[in-house]
Amino acid sequence: MRSVWIRWAVPFFLLAFSSITQAEYGLNMTPGVTDISQSVYDLHMIVFWICVVIGIVVFGVMFWSMFKYRKSQGAKPAQFHESTLVEIIWTIIPFIILVAMAVPATSTLIEIYDVEESDIDIKITGYQWKWQYDYINDDVSFFSNLSTPQDQINNQETKGDNYLLEVDEPLVIPINKKIRFLVTSNDVIHSWWVPAFAVKKDAIPGFINEAWTKVNTPGIYRGQCAELCGKDHGFMPIVVKAVEEPEYKAWLLAKQEKAKADTLLASQQSAQQWSLEDLIAKGETVYNTSCAMCHQANGEGIPPAFPALKGSAIAMGAIENHINIVLNGKPGTAMQAFGQQLNDVDLAAVITYERNAWGNNKGDMVSPQDVAKAKGN
Amino acid sequence: MSAVVENELNEHHHHGPAQGISRWFFTTNHKDIGSMYLWFSFTMFLVGGCMALTIRAELFQPGLQIINPEFFNQMTTMHGLIMVFGAVMPAFVGLANWLIPMMIGAPDMALPRMNNWSFWILPFAFTMLLSTLFMEGGGPNFGWTFYAPLSTTYAPPSVTFFIFGVHMMGISSIMGAINVIATILNMRAPGMTMMKMPLFVWTWLITAFLLIAVMPVLAGVVTMMLMDIHFGTSFFNAAGGGDPVLFQHVFWFFGHPEVYIMILPAFGVVSQIIPTFSRKKLFGYSSMVWATSSIAILSFTVWAHHMFTVGIPLFGELFFMYATMLIAVPTGVKVFNWVATMFRGSISFETPMLFSIAFVILFSIGGFSGLMLAIAPADFQYHDTYFVVAHFHYVLVPGAIFGIFAAVYYWLPKWCGRMYSETLGKTHFWLSFVGMNLAFFPMHFLGLAGMPRRIPDYALQFADFNMISSVGAFLFGTTQLLFLYIVVSTIRSGAKASAAVWEGAEGLEWTLPSPAPYHSFTEPPVVK
Amino acid sequence: MLNKQEQNNKSKRTVIIALVVTVGMFGFGFALVPLYDVLCDIAGLNGKTGPKYVLQSGELETDLSRLVKVQFITSNNENMSWHFKPEVTQVEVHPGELMQVDFLVSNPTQQAMLAQAVPSLSPSEGADYFHRVECFCFTQQTLQAGEEARMPLRFVIDKDLPKHLTKLTLSYTLFDLTNSDISMASVPK
C-alpha cells in the first residue's frame, strides 16, 4: 500500500515540476518584456528551486522513515529525543539561505522604486468599472472599457480569443522609454496590473501612487484589476499597446487631433437637428458600452443595486429628472456622473434610447442642446 | 448515620449530566461545551463548504452560468468569514475545552460559566451573519478582509449587522482565550511544571495570548468602520482627512496574528500524534516551545506583507520582507523536529497519523509558497492572484483542517469510549487528500499565469485548471459527509475502546477511562 | 500544592490581568490612528505634505544650482462635477523659491456646493520637503451655482530636498461634501 502510493506520487511531482518552466503552457509566471519583469521572474525561479531542493531533502527523510522504520516490518524505536547542536545547525543554515535570497530581492526592489528620470508621465484612474488614462503633458485623456460583448459572457455567443481581456481604447506607449504611472482611484480601491511589466500598484481614492516601466519589445500586453472593487471587479481589464516611438508619436498626434475634432463635431452635432431614430440608434451603442453592465442589455437591471430602466419611474417620468441622474449620478450608489465622461451627443442619445427602448415607448426625444442647457452651458 | 449516607448518595446523582435540552443550554461542563463547539464548527464547515462549492460551480467554466457577480462576491466573502470565524476557530476552542483540563489534570476550565456564554454567543452571531444574505442589498460582498471604502461608503445596508456579528464573535473568542490562560496558568496538577505540559497545551496557551492581543484590535477596526458609516467620522475617508490604507494597517495588525491563531493549535495536535504513532518521544520539546513562542512574537511584526502593492515606502517594504522571511526559520525548525521524531521510530499508519503526516508535507508546501510571497518584488506578480489563494488554502486545509480531523480521530475514542472504523477513516483521508490537492494545486499555476482573485469569470487560458480545481473541490466537499457518517456511527455503535486506546500514547488524558467520566480529575493526580 | 481557594484567587488575578490587556489592546487599536498620522508626518509617508507651512525669515534663499519639476494633476472623486484644473500642468522651480500656481474651479450645477481638495505628493520621499504656504486645500470651499473661482497654491521646496529627486507630482482629489455628514476630523495633511 505504501509503495504503491510512493510509486504514484513521485512521478506526479516530477511531471508537474518538469513542465513548470514552460510559461507557454500557462503554468509559470511570464518573464515579461522589461528588464524588471525578467529580474522578478529570475527571483521567482531562484526561490522556487531552493524550495524544491529543501522539499526533496525534508520529504525525502520523511518518506525514507515511513518506509524503513515501519512497525509492521519490525522496526524498534530509538530513544533519542533532543540535541541542542542539531537545533542550532538547522536554525543557522536556513537563516543563511534566507540572507542569500534577500540580497537579490533587495536590489530588485530598489530598482523598482527608482522612479526618477521618466520620459513620459501617465495618470491612471481606476473607476467602478473601467480605467481612465490621462497623458498629463500631452492633453490626451480617455476611458478604457471592457469590450467583450455581454452575449459572450452570458454564453449566447462563442467566446473570442481575448475574452475578458480586450478593451475599446488601449493604453499606447512607446518602447525603450521610461514611462511613469501615477495611479489613483475615483471611488474604491482598485489595482493596476500588467504581468508582462511586473507592475502592480493599488489605486487609492484621494492618494497618488507611482510605478514605472520601460518596455523592450513591441506588442500587446494584457492585465486585470487586482483588488476587489465591487460587482465588476473581474470585468475591467487593462490592455497596453507598446509600439516603436514614431508610431507612438503618430498615435498621440491623432488622438490630440481627434479630441479637437470630437469637440468640434460634438458642438456641430449639438447644434444640428437630430432625428428620433438617429438618436435612438446612437443611444443603443452608447448604452451597450457604458450602461449595460449594470442595467443589463434588456433594461431589467439587477435590483435592488442596479434598478431596472424598463418601465422605471425615471425613464417614464419627468425628463429633467432623467437628465439629472444621468449627468450627475446618484450619490451613495454606483450610478456615476456620466456628464463627466460622455459628450452632449452621446448623453442625449442614451437618454433618448432609454426612454424608448424595451417597450418604454415614451416617444420623447432629448437633444444635445437640451443636455447642454442642463449642464448649465 | 443513615441520613448522611443517603445525602451522599443524593449528591452522587448530581455528578451526572442534567437531562433534556436544558442540559445543553445551561451546562458549565468543559466536555459538554467542547462537544457543542465541535458540532457547531462542523455545521459551519458544511455551510461554508456549500458556499465554496457554489463558487467552484460558477468557476467550472468561463462565462456566467449560475450566479451573478454581485452574489458571487457575497459567496466569496461569506465563505471566508464562515470558515475563519465559524469553522476553524471554534473547532480549536472545542478541542481546547475537551482536552486542556484532562491534559493538565484539572477538573474543568477556570471559569465554567463564562465558558458557557462564550459558546452560546456563537450561534446567535452566525445566525445574524447568515441572515444578512436575505436582507435588502444582500450580505457582505467586500471580501472577508473587508477593505474600506468598499466596506464603508460602498457597502450594502447589512454591513451594520456584519459589524455586530464580528463584535459578538470577538467577545466569544476573547472570553474563551481568557479562560484558557487562567486554566493553564493556575490549574495544573501538582508536579506539572510548564516544561512538562503537553505541547497541545503550550500551543493553546500561546494562541490564547495572541487572541487577547489582537481580537480587541479587530473590534477597534470594525468600530471605526461603524463610526465612518453612521457617525460622520473619516478614519478611512480621504475627504475628511483619513486614509483607506490605515484600514489595511489596523486590519492586518489583527489579521496576521489571526492566521497563526488558526494554525498553532494544529501544530500542537500534530506534536501529540506523531510521537504516539512513531512510538518515540517528540524530538526537541524545549526547542518546539521556543519556536512556537518566536513565531507568535514575530507574527506582530510582519503584517504589511499583505500590503506590498499599496505604496509603502522602500524602507518599510524591505523591513516587512525581511521580517516575513525570518518567520520561516522557527517554522522550519518545527517541521524538522517532527521529521526527526519519525526518523528511527517505529511507525504505524492509523488515520490520525495519516492526517498528521499529510499535514507536515502539505503545510510545508504552503510554507514554501509563503516564502515565495515574502519576496516583495516577486509578490507584485503574486499579490491578489490565485497563487495567494493556493498558498492560504494549503496552510489552512491540510494545515488547520487536517489537524482538526487528526485530533478528532485521535481523541474521539477517549471522548465517547468507542473506536471509529479504521477502513472508513483511511477512506476519508485518501479522498480528502486527493480532492484537496486536485482543488488547490492547480491554483498555483492559475495565479502564476495571471488569474486574479475574487472574479466570477475568467479569460479562456485559465479554463482547464479551473475545471480540475472544481472537480477536486466537489470531491473534497462530498467526502466530508463521509466524515459525518463516521463520527455519528462511531458514537452510536463503534467498538468499545480501552483507556489507553493507542499504544505509545502519553499524557494524563490516557489514564482516564474511555469514555472519560463527566467529571474527571475531581482530585488532582500527582505528576512525576 | 494550591487548594481550591488559592486556585480561585490566582485565577481571578489572571482574569483581571487578561481583561486589562484586552481593554488596552482595544485602546491600542484606536491609538494606531493618530500614531499612523504621526509616523506619516515624520517620514513623509503616503504623500502627506504636512500642515500649513510657516515661512521662517531668511528662509527664501534660492538654490540656483538646480531646478525641480513640479507637476500638477487633479481628480474628481466619484460624481463630483466641478471643473477643476491647474492653470499650468508643470512648473520648474529652484529649491527655496516661493512659487504660486492657480487652480481654476467652477461649479456647473444648479445648486451651491461644498468641496474639499485633498493633496497627495509623489514620490512620498519628497513629501517632507514640499511646503505649502497657502493652499485652497486647507479649508473647505463653497461655490454657488455656476460660480467660478481661481484658487491659489503657494509653495516652497525645501533646500534640503535630496539631490536625486528632480520631479515631484502633486495630485489633488476634489471631494463633494455638500450632503455629507463628515465632520472635519482634522485639517487634511
Side-chain angles (χ1 to χ4, degrees):
Chain A
M1 174 83 177
R2 208 65 42 233
S3 50
V4 164
W5 182 53
I6 291 172
R7 264 193 276 134
W8 170 86
V10 167
F12 168 75
F13 283 118
L14 281 177
L15 189 65
F17 291 152
S18 67
S19 46
I20 255 168
T21 48
Q22 293 172 37
E24 301 80 43
Y25 273 73
L27 278 176
N28 197 5
M29 182 190 291
T30 174
V33 294
T34 71
D35 293 347
I36 295 281
S37 66
Q38 183 66 53
S39 300
V40 164
Y41 174 82
D42 291 338
L43 257 179
H44 157 75
M45 290 310 289
I46 293 173
V47 178
F48 169 71
W49 284 119
I50 293 176
C51 292
V52 167
V53 168
I54 296 176
I56 289 176
V57 170
V58 174
F59 302 155
V61 175
M62 278 188 82
F63 289 136
W64 171 248
S65 305
M66 289 193 274
F67 173 70
K68 185 89 194 294
Y69 302 111
R70 284 170 286 167
K71 177 169 190 220
S72 58
Q73 297 298 304
K76 291 273 174 284
Q79 295 304 313
F80 66 84
H81 60 89
E82 61 189 354
S83 161
T84 313
L85 175 65
V86 163
E87 301 284 357
I88 291 177
I89 291 177
W90 66 38
T91 304
I92 301 236
I93 293 185
F95 183 78
I96 293 175
I97 297 175
L98 289 173
V99 170
M101 283 184 208
V103 170
T106 304
S107 66
T108 305
L109 197 63
I110 291 175
E111 277 174 46
I112 290 177
Y113 269 75
D114 176 12
V115 196
E116 288 305 302
E117 312 290 339
S118 60
D119 298 305
I120 298 174
D121 298 317
I122 301 177
K123 175 178 161 229
I124 300 176
T125 309
Y127 280 70
Q128 282 179 319
W129 289 278
K130 57 196 156 211
W131 296 97
Q132 183 190 35
Y133 300 117
D134 204 322
Y135 292 70
I136 304 173
N137 298 316
D138 299 300
D139 218 14
V140 170
S141 170
F142 54 88
F143 283 92
S144 185
N145 294 284
L146 172 72
S147 61
T148 301
Q150 275 288 109
D151 282 345
Q152 286 186 21
I153 298 176
N154 294 330
N155 307 305
Q156 277 150 2
E157 241 180 56
T158 326
K159 297 175 172 53
D161 281 341
N162 292 312
Y163 176 71
L164 294 192
L165 291 177
E166 51 202 349
V167 298
D168 51 5
E169 290 280 353
L171 179 71
V172 178
I173 57 176
I175 58 168
N176 297 328
K177 292 277 181 216
K178 187 164 181 176
I179 319 285
R180 178 165 158 256
F181 302 115
L182 295 155
V183 187
T184 185
S185 167
N186 174 264
D187 34 51
V188 296
I189 299 180
H190 300 267
S191 190
W192 196 83
W193 178 38
V194 179
F197 304 165
V199 168
K200 181 182 287 154
K201 227 14 176 265
D202 285 3
I204 300 172
F207 293 89
I208 199 93
N209 263 335
E210 276 185 323
W212 70 271
T213 194
K214 191 165 177 225
V215 180
N216 299 328
T217 318
I220 299 182
Y221 306 109
R222 303 173 192 272
Q224 291 186 265
C225 177
E227 186 59 61
L228 178 64
C229 53
K231 170 172 103 71
D232 285 340
H233 162 60
F235 301 99
M236 47 182 291
I238 293 140
V239 176
V240 184
K241 208 170 154 211
V243 298
E244 304 276 354
E245 196 177 3
E247 193 182 332
Y248 166 73
K249 286 208 152 83
W251 172 87
L252 196 65
L253 196 62
K255 266 278 191 243
Q256 287 165 331
E257 298 292 309
K258 182 164 185 298
K260 285 199 209 110
D262 275 349
T263 320
L264 190 61
L265 183 66
S267 59
Q268 282 175 345
Q269 285 182 330
S270 296
Q272 95 192 44
Q273 296 299 103
W274 282 76
S275 71
L276 183 62
E277 294 71 35
D278 287 341
L279 275 176
I280 290 177
K282 191 171 189 31
E284 188 174 6
T285 321
V286 175
Y287 182 86
N288 285 334
T289 306
S290 300
C291 320
M293 280 309 269
C294 295
H295 291 292
Q296 304 300 296
N298 59 15
E300 287 172 13
I302 309 172
F306 307 106
L309 300 181
K310 175 177 169 174
S312 77
I314 301 255
M316 308 287 279
I319 293 186
E320 303 81 61
N321 295 338
H322 194 167
I323 296 180
N324 180 54
I325 201 169
V326 172
L327 283 193
N328 299 315
K330 190 168 179 198
T333 70
M335 179 60 191
Q336 296 167 9
F338 285 92
Q340 311 242 351
Q341 301 178 21
L342 301 172
N343 64 39
D344 291 354
V345 174
D346 287 345
L347 288 164
V350 78
I351 296 171
T352 305
Y353 173 71
E354 287 165 3
R355 298 183 78 77
N356 289 289
W358 320 298
N360 282 356
N361 295 343
K362 287 291 288 180
D364 291 334
M365 187 174 94
V366 174
S367 71
Q369 294 84 349
D370 296 329
V371 171
K373 217 163 42 172
K375 275 184 176 175
N377 295 336
Chain B
M1 287 292 269
S2 58
V4 170
V5 169
E6 264 166 31
N7 280 344
E8 278 177 356
L9 281 174
N10 286 340
E11 263 179 2
H12 270 286
H13 277 285
H14 289 292
H15 282 218
Q19 299 306 310
I21 199 120
S22 57
R23 164 185 173 180
W24 301 104
F25 281 125
F26 298 113
T27 179
T28 57
N29 180 287
H30 73 100
K31 299 183 176 78
D32 279 353
I33 294 174
S35 298
M36 289 197 291
Y37 267 108
L38 288 169
W39 281 115
F40 172 79
S41 131
F42 189 70
T43 310
M44 289 291 108
F45 181 59
L46 292 180
V47 169
C50 286
M51 295 171 177
L53 293 184
T54 308
I55 294 168
R56 288 310 327 168
E58 179 56 60
L59 293 176
F60 182 66
Q61 283 181 314
L64 293 176
Q65 287 89 4
I66 304 175
I67 55 180
N68 64 39
E70 270 239 303
F71 188 69
F72 184 87
N73 289 346
Q74 293 175 46
M75 284 292 98
T76 51
T77 305
M78 295 293 270
H79 164 72
L81 291 169
I82 300 273
M83 287 306 199
V84 168
F85 295 116
V88 174
M89 288 172 79
F92 282 134
V93 177
L95 292 177
N97 264 289
W98 252 110
L99 298 172
I100 292 178
M102 293 198 300
M103 285 179 166
I104 62 175
D108 206 302
M109 299 290 286
L111 302 151
R113 251 172 308 183
M114 186 167 84
N115 207 12
N116 175 292
W117 298 334
S118 303
F119 172 74
W120 278 108
I121 287 180
L122 292 182
F124 284 111
F126 283 89
T127 305
M128 179 159 64
L129 185 63
L130 285 168
S131 72
T132 59
L133 287 169
F134 304 99
M135 292 181 185
E136 170 107 21
N141 56 7
F142 28 70
W144 90 272
T145 51
F146 54 102
Y147 284 3
L150 187 61
S151 61
T152 51
T153 318
Y154 297 81
S158 63
V159 67
T160 310
F161 294 96
F162 159 77
I163 292 173
F164 290 153
V166 169
H167 269 302
M168 288 179 79
M169 176 280 311
I171 291 171
S172 160
S173 290
I174 292 172
M175 294 203 295
I178 293 178
N179 224 335
V180 164
I181 294 175
T183 308
I184 296 176
L185 291 185
N186 300 314
M187 293 175 67
R188 280 165 289 130
M192 180 169 285
T193 59
M194 295 284 277
M195 294 306 270
K196 282 209 187 117
M197 299 195 306
L199 214 50
F200 178 75
V201 178
W202 259 117
T203 55
W204 240 114
L205 178 64
I206 295 170
T207 303
F209 278 117
L210 285 178
L211 278 164
I212 59 170
V214 301
M215 293 303 294
V217 175
L218 176 67
V221 82
V222 299
T223 306
M224 291 182 214
M225 269 172 75
L226 192 73
M227 291 169 69
D228 267 17
I229 294 171
H230 292 290
F231 302 127
T233 56
S234 298
F235 288 99
F236 311 127
N237 187 343
D243 187 352
V245 176
L246 173 66
F247 176 90
Q248 296 184 34
H249 281 291
V250 185
F251 175 81
W252 284 115
F253 188 83
F254 147 78
H256 197 80
E258 165 66 18
V259 311
Y260 290 102
I261 288 168
M262 287 198 282
I263 200 65
L264 256 42
F267 287 167
V269 167
V270 161
S271 301
Q272 305 285 152
I273 292 179
I274 290 185
T276 299
F277 295 98
S278 306
R279 290 160 185 77
K280 191 156 154 287
K281 273 185 146 54
L282 179 69
F283 188 89
Y285 173 93
S286 29
S287 167
M288 292 295 252
V289 173
W290 284 115
T292 312
S293 312
S294 313
I295 291 173
I297 293 172
L298 280 173
S299 74
F300 285 100
T301 63
V302 301
W303 76 88
H305 66 228
H306 301 270
M307 299 163 58
F308 277 146
T309 59
V310 128
I312 293 175
L314 179 61
F315 67 86
E317 201 102 332
L318 287 171
F319 169 77
F320 285 109
M321 174 167 79
Y322 299 148
T324 306
M325 291 169 77
L326 195 58
I327 254 191
V329 175
T331 315
V333 164
K334 292 185 82 73
V335 172
F336 303 144
N337 277 284
W338 287 318
V339 175
T341 307
M342 290 171 69
F343 185 69
R344 294 183 55 198
S346 173
I347 306 176
S348 60
F349 298 94
E350 287 83 340
T351 307
M353 185 60 164
L354 289 177
F355 276 108
S356 302
I357 293 172
F359 173 98
V360 176
I361 297 175
L362 300 174
F363 174 81
S364 296
I365 292 181
F368 289 141
S369 56
L371 181 59
M372 293 167 79
L373 287 162
I375 309 293
D379 183 64
F380 293 151
Q381 299 281 55
Y382 309 135
H383 174 71
D384 241 281
T385 68
Y386 263 81
F387 192 79
V388 178
V389 180
H391 159 72
F392 66 69
H393 281 95
Y394 262 83
V395 290
L396 280 174
V397 178
I401 302 286
F402 277 20
I404 294 166
F405 287 156
V408 171
Y409 282 107
Y410 189 57
W411 279 292
L412 185 61
K414 176 58 58 189
W415 299 336
C416 71
R418 292 172 182 275
M419 276 303 287
Y420 61 87
S421 151
E422 194 55 55
T423 311
L424 286 183
K426 287 194 162 83
T427 309
H428 173 226
F429 169 73
W430 284 110
L431 289 175
S432 297
F433 177 86
V434 171
M436 177 269 146
N437 278 296
L438 271 180
F440 298 113
F441 201 75
M443 290 186 181
H444 292 107
F445 305 133
L446 284 173
L448 292 179
M451 182 176 173
R453 277 175 83 168
R454 296 169 166 167
I455 57 176
D457 190 8
Y458 47 80
L460 299 180
Q461 63 261 38
F462 305 133
D464 292 341
F465 282 134
N466 266 290
M467 190 174 272
I468 297 175
S469 171
S470 292
V471 168
F474 272 86
L475 174 59
F476 182 80
T478 39
T479 302
Q480 306 322 313
L481 298 175
L482 173 60
F483 179 62
L484 176 62
Y485 172 78
I486 293 172
V487 171
V488 170
S489 61
T490 303
I491 292 173
R492 297 179 85 182
S493 53
K496 285 236 183 309
S498 64
V501 187
W502 309 107
E503 174 197 18
E506 283 183 15
L508 286 175
E509 74 269 31
W510 305 110
T511 64
L512 294 168
S514 302
Y518 195 62
H519 296 297
S520 48
F521 293 127
T522 44
E523 290 306 315
V526 176
V527 173
K528 289 182 256 323
Chain C
M1 176 179 143
L2 296 175
N3 64 26
K4 288 248 162 39
Q5 185 58 41
E6 284 167 344
Q7 252 186 12
N8 258 343
N9 287 342
K10 284 207 90 189
S11 283
K12 270 208 187 92
R13 203 168 143 261
T14 311
V15 171
I16 290 175
I17 295 175
L19 276 172
V20 168
V21 169
T22 303
V23 172
M25 289 308 289
F26 185 77
F28 174 74
F30 276 88
L32 281 177
V33 179
L35 207 64
Y36 179 73
D37 275 342
V38 165
L39 284 171
C40 287
D41 262 355
I42 293 175
L45 306 181
N46 235 8
K48 290 179 187 265
T49 50
K52 186 181 169 83
Y53 189 74
V54 177
L55 280 172
Q56 318 297 339
S57 61
E59 174 153 358
L60 286 181
E61 283 167 39
T62 328
D63 175 2
L64 291 167
S65 66
R66 55 182 173 137
L67 276 173
V68 179
K69 284 198 190 103
V70 183
Q71 289 175 325
F72 302 100
I73 54 182
T74 56
S75 299
N76 281 6
N77 178 264
E78 269 195 30
N79 301 328
M80 182 42 152
S81 48
W82 289 12
H83 301 300
F84 178 43
K85 278 271 164 321
E87 201 167 20
V88 287
T89 47
Q90 184 167 290
V91 295
E92 288 194 305
V93 298
H94 297 289
E97 180 187 343
L98 184 63
M99 171 68 81
Q100 171 160 331
V101 173
D102 285 347
F103 285 73
L104 306 168
V105 196
S106 74
N107 173 1
T109 69
Q110 318 284 1
Q111 47 269 348
M113 287 175 66
L114 183 65
Q116 174 69 55
V118 175
S120 179
L121 191 108
S122 205
S124 53
E125 201 190 339
D128 238 2
Y129 303 93
F130 188 93
H131 306 307
R132 291 166 296 152
V133 173
E134 188 189 331
C135 180
F136 52 87
C137 53
F138 290 150
T139 53
Q140 296 175 354
Q141 304 292 332
T142 306
L143 284 184
Q144 302 304 319
E147 188 184 345
E148 290 177 2
R150 170 182 283 272
M151 305 192 301
L153 163 71
R154 300 176 79 218
F155 66 92
V156 60
I157 296 182
D158 201 297
K159 291 192 298 297
D160 293 330
L161 180 78
K163 291 276 192 287
H164 67 270
L165 293 180
T166 56
K167 182 156 57 178
L168 302 175
T169 306
L170 180 64
S171 158
Y172 281 103
T173 307
L174 199 63
F175 289 85
D176 179 1
L177 291 187
T178 312
N179 297 314
S180 163
D181 56 353
I182 291 175
S183 53
M184 280 292 297
S186 55
V187 173
K189 298 186 170 77

